[in-house]
Amino acid sequence: MVRSSISARLASIGAATLLIAGLSAQAAPALAASPGHPTAVHQAAPDPNIQLGRSGTANVKKLALEPKQKLPFNPAVVSSTLDKLEAPAVTGTHPDVVGPPDPDPETSSGAAAAATPVAATGHTGTVTPDPSIAVGPDEVLQADITGLEIRDRAGNSLAAAVTLPTFFGLPELGGFTTFFSDPRVMFDALHQRWIITEMSWDCATYSGATFGHGYLDYAISDTADPLGTWTSTGFEWPDFVPVRPAAGTSTDKLALTTSLFAMGAGGSPTTPGCASGALTGSEFVVVDWTDLGPSFNQANVHYSAGGYASLDAIRVAVQQPVVDADLRLIGIGNGATAGHIWYTDVTGSAVHHTVTESVDKDLTADGIVPGFGTPAPPTQSGGGGTLTTAIDGSPDSLIYSGGKLAFTSTTPCIPTGDSVMRDCIRVTTLGSANAGVEPTRLGDVLLGTNGLDSSFGGIAWSGNGVLTAVYTSSSGSTFASSVAQYNSGTDPDAWSAPQTLTAGSATYTGTGWGSYLTVATDPQVPTAVWVGDPAANGSGGWTTTVHELSVGDVGAGYTPVTPTRFLDTRFANGLSGNFNAGVPRTFTIGGASRTPTGGPTVTIPSNAVAVTGNLTVTQQTAAGYVSLTPTPTANPSSSTLNFPLGDNRANNVTVALGPNGTLSAVYKAPTGKHTALLFDVTGYFTAGAGQTYTPLTPTRFLNSQPGTLNRGQTTFHANVSKSVPI
């Protein structure tokens, strides 16, 4: 790992000052007022304080082999410091806002409980779990205050957990400590890259800081393999702490959001108390994917940053899948619009200095949805009677898919059949097919259970459109447990009955239960989402369980299977030896069996007519493409996977099988070149009723070059969408 020194950090700060000066010269555009509410306008202003932070590289597999380093600070002290910092912003700042119709109480859909094909014991800790999870084609990442761990899809650990300070190389030089919190992970299926974010700070006064420095750190895997190398960097605010960070991506941008608190007196170089000031608003930073290639150089990263003094918090949506260039954000207002729900759309490019807000709307003032409420501390059995006092009504999980934007928050409500005000999970769904216009209300529902507090919710859509919510359930007579419910999408108010995933077994004695929980869409299995849900354990702390939740049915004609490798030419699985350029080869899928690591044998029936799977290329000696076809052809009409030299690259496919249950592949590259190929099967189709598959000869339906089958389309320009008739 490359660790930043004080001198190196100061050098990078100087370079960043020049860079941000160029970007900030372009003032943020004036925003139009919401109709009839001229006082409700807020505007993002360029932030002159932001600077590029430290940078480095890491390899999880190598770090996991080193002796595990103890955190250079007491996590309980760090958690308590953040709780005290946020408490004034939590209490009484976000009153219930009335006007639009209230959220609806949930109704019963009568659906069966979700299946849990994977339930592996995850991390264990004592303070602030804040569990985050991400899922890719082959691996599952879990991150929380205890560290980062990588698992296979059966739940088996692939590398020992690595602490985030070790991973990010947080410096412990010059007699000061760098504190960290709030790690989050995500997988961008479009770019095939993993992303980790965290916030950190120190109470050192070098470089002109009066109290210390706050950092918003992020790391991106150089390839789709999380066990490989990562590049890390971040942003720095002298005398400000970025709290509760979040990240989201679009087709061309990465965005980081946070709430900024001013630093103050009370800390020292080895204690975290300088995080003691007042909330100053929220902040977003935008970076282009074109600057974030493998092993990117942070000195060449362009970024655009802006702050909202009128928003206490702001979140950027996680796209599932990544299909849109716009970044959708939800914020919570303060001052004259305290508690109001704001919607913002961010477009443009940081590289070209064109990042702007195309729309900025107060959804509460405009009568679409009521504002966020202020929940009471959730109760638990034993201890002081409450699970935590560090809870607010801000937006937690925020996701976008298929024209719909949804988010969760904890809010007060009286559940059906109850007479006492409890904490409930509010799930708000907005229509946002066109990010550049104000969204509409599709659903606003309260998930609450008689006699119980429901708090800290996360949501995700599975590939078949089912929305799953996971949250904490507790009461004065029960311990903190994790619970799941799901909605099939036909009626936004109709949810399955609460399903206990992991039951709490004792009183939680830590200072804060957490501020978020993430649920991840499975990019391989269309019925599945994943979560690392926490529950109170017998040691006064918490234990997470890594659950795969299978929700709904994809049709009688399709059967998902545990992702299983049916071809790996590196190890004579299916075929032995490399694919040589221009030479098609055939391997058997239908009627074949394989036994994945840690799982039962998977057999693809001989009557399967098509399969879904993941095609991966590695060890290629030249750039080119591979075509996966039912029958062998040396000159295919289309490509399945295009790739450069020296990159492990994968693509999800649905492909018909040949008449004997076979598939064929050909590597198109200069003569004499070769490559290894891998193919993982994730499901199969059989003939009959249900969601079946009809194969066609691969045919090009669009080529925008002049004189071709362009269907009236000309050259496509960046960030300009077009519709093509198929």
Side-chain angles (χ1 to χ4, degrees):
M1 169 176 284
V2 176
R3 296 182 182 272
S4 301
S5 66
I6 296 295
S7 60
R9 179 188 287 183
L10 293 178
S12 70
I13 290 174
T17 301
L18 296 176
L19 179 59
I20 193 64
L23 294 177
S24 297
Q26 188 176 37
L31 302 175
S34 302
H37 302 279
T39 62
V41 174
H42 67 262
Q43 176 174 329
D47 185 351
N49 296 312
I50 190 172
Q51 303 169 350
L52 279 179
R54 51 192 165 242
S55 64
T57 61
N59 184 294
V60 177
K61 197 169 187 179
K62 292 181 180 179
L63 289 174
L65 297 176
E66 299 178 2
K68 187 172 182 180
Q69 296 185 18
K70 183 180 179 181
L71 291 177
F73 53 82
N74 185 336
V77 175
V78 170
S79 176
S80 177
T81 299
L82 289 178
D83 291 349
K84 292 177 182 177
L85 179 73
E86 296 180 30
V90 170
T91 306
T93 304
H94 311 313
D96 287 310
V97 179
V98 297
D102 290 335
D104 301 319
E106 64 174 302
T107 60
S108 174
S109 66
T116 54
V118 173
T121 301
H123 294 171
T124 296
T126 57
V127 295
T128 317
D130 288 343
S132 182
I133 201 162
V135 185
D138 298 302
E139 296 90 7
V140 178
L141 268 64
Q142 181 186 7
D144 50 48
I145 194 69
T146 65
L148 170 72
E149 186 176 15
I150 301 177
R151 302 171 179 270
D152 63 21
R153 295 177 64 91
N156 303 304
S157 178
L158 298 177
V162 176
T163 67
L164 271 298
T166 300
F167 179 84
F168 278 97
L170 302 187
E172 303 301 321
L173 303 173
F176 70 88
T177 299
T178 304
F179 311 97
F180 99 101
S181 187
D182 291 15
R184 298 197 185 196
V185 293
M186 62 182 296
F187 178 71
D188 186 300
L190 175 64
H191 301 95
Q192 293 287 296
R193 309 278 290 282
W194 302 83
I195 303 166
I196 304 175
T197 62
E198 66 166 20
M199 58 84 64
S200 59
W201 78 96
D202 61 51
C203 296
T205 56
Y206 65 87
S207 186
T210 302
F211 301 106
H213 311 80
Y215 307 96
L216 189 52
D217 305 314
Y218 68 97
I220 303 177
S221 63
D222 293 331
T223 69
D225 181 6
L227 291 169
T229 58
W230 295 64
T231 302
S232 63
T233 183
F235 299 95
E236 173 183 331
W237 288 267
D239 293 323
F240 289 91
V241 182
V243 175
R244 292 189 66 186
T249 65
S250 71
T251 55
D252 62 347
K253 293 182 287 292
L254 164 67
L256 306 173
T257 60
T258 185
S259 297
L260 284 182
F261 285 77
M263 286 183 166
S268 73
T270 57
T271 61
C274 62
S276 60
L279 177 68
T280 62
S282 58
E283 182 101 2
F284 74 89
V285 188
V286 176
V287 180
D288 289 7
W289 272 111
T290 53
D291 278 348
L292 301 176
S295 303
F296 62 89
N297 185 343
Q298 65 135 2
N300 298 327
V301 173
H302 300 78
Y303 58 93
S304 182
Y308 297 98
S310 55
L311 295 181
D312 282 353
I314 194 166
R315 300 284 180 270
V316 58
V318 175
Q319 292 195 29
Q320 306 169 332
V322 182
V323 296
D324 200 320
D326 290 64
L327 295 165
R328 295 165 172 83
L329 300 94
I330 291 291
I332 178 169
N334 61 28
T337 64
H340 286 213
I341 297 176
W342 283 85
Y343 167 80
T344 299
D345 171 55
V346 173
T347 63
S349 162
V351 171
H352 299 293
H353 303 181
T354 58
V355 173
T356 58
E357 297 169 298
S358 67
V359 65
D360 189 57
K361 295 292 185 179
D362 183 338
L363 302 185
T364 302
D366 291 347
I368 297 174
V369 286
F372 295 106
T374 303
T379 57
Q380 68 167 337
S381 176
T386 58
L387 182 61
T388 179
T389 56
I391 186 169
D392 62 18
S394 298
D396 292 322
S397 183
L398 176 61
I399 58 175
Y400 172 78
S401 180
K404 294 187 291 185
L405 181 68
F407 56 92
T408 59
S409 58
T410 304
T411 195
C413 83
I414 299 177
T416 300
D418 209 332
S419 59
V420 177
M421 188 71 71
R422 311 282 184 184
D423 285 345
C424 298
I425 300 299
R426 178 181 175 187
V427 181
T428 305
T429 308
L430 304 172
S432 183
N434 183 348
V437 301
E438 188 169 28
T440 58
R441 174 171 169 163
L442 298 179
D444 199 7
V445 64
L446 298 170
L447 305 182
T449 302
N450 186 356
L452 297 173
D453 283 321
S454 304
S455 55
F456 301 109
I459 51 174
W461 274 294
S462 51
N464 59 351
V466 173
L467 181 62
T468 298
V470 181
Y471 53 87
T472 296
S473 178
S474 61
S475 74
S477 58
T478 61
F479 305 122
S481 305
S482 60
V483 172
Q485 293 182 254
Y486 67 89
N487 172 267
S488 64
T490 54
D491 178 354
D493 295 341
W495 288 72
S496 65
Q499 171 189 357
T500 299
L501 298 178
T502 306
S505 58
T507 302
Y508 173 67
T509 59
T511 59
W513 183 248
S515 56
Y516 59 83
L517 169 76
T518 61
V519 184
T521 299
D522 193 316
Q524 289 278 64
V525 181
T527 59
V529 299
W530 292 69
V531 65
D533 45 281
N537 63 24
S539 302
W542 50 266
T543 297
T544 61
T545 304
V546 176
H547 272 114
E548 177 190 7
L549 303 177
S550 182
V551 285
D553 183 10
V554 293
Y558 178 73
T559 302
V561 299
T562 301
T564 304
R565 190 150 292 170
F566 275 73
L567 174 69
D568 190 336
T569 60
R570 302 171 302 174
F571 305 108
N573 178 4
L575 291 171
S576 61
N578 289 319
F579 273 69
N580 295 318
V583 180
R585 304 177 70 189
T586 300
F587 55 100
T588 300
I589 298 293
S593 299
R594 299 288 190 277
T595 303
T597 302
T601 297
V602 172
T603 299
I604 307 302
S606 57
N607 65 337
V609 297
V611 293
T612 58
N614 196 62
L615 177 68
T616 303
V617 63
T618 186
Q619 300 176 3
Q620 65 271 35
T621 56
Y625 68 89
V626 168
S627 287
L628 196 63
T629 55
T631 56
T633 175
N635 296 295
S637 59
S638 62
S639 63
T640 304
L641 177 61
N642 297 271
F643 47 85
L645 175 65
D647 184 24
N648 298 325
R649 186 161 293 196
N651 191 24
N652 291 322
V653 298
T654 302
V655 59
L657 295 175
N660 297 316
T662 58
L663 281 178
S664 299
V666 63
Y667 169 43
K668 299 297 288 184
T671 302
K673 303 300 181 179
H674 57 81
T675 188
L677 279 185
L678 294 71
F679 185 65
D680 301 304
V681 176
T682 59
Y684 60 87
F685 292 91
T686 53
Q691 188 173 334
T692 55
Y693 175 70
T694 302
L696 302 172
T697 300
T699 303
R700 185 156 293 166
F701 272 68
L702 175 68
N703 186 339
S704 62
Q705 300 176 87
T708 62
L709 184 66
N710 57 28
R711 296 186 176 268
Q713 304 296 333
T714 56
T715 300
F716 278 64
H717 295 283
N719 307 319
V720 180
S721 62
K722 295 186 177 186
S723 297
V724 181
I726 298 295

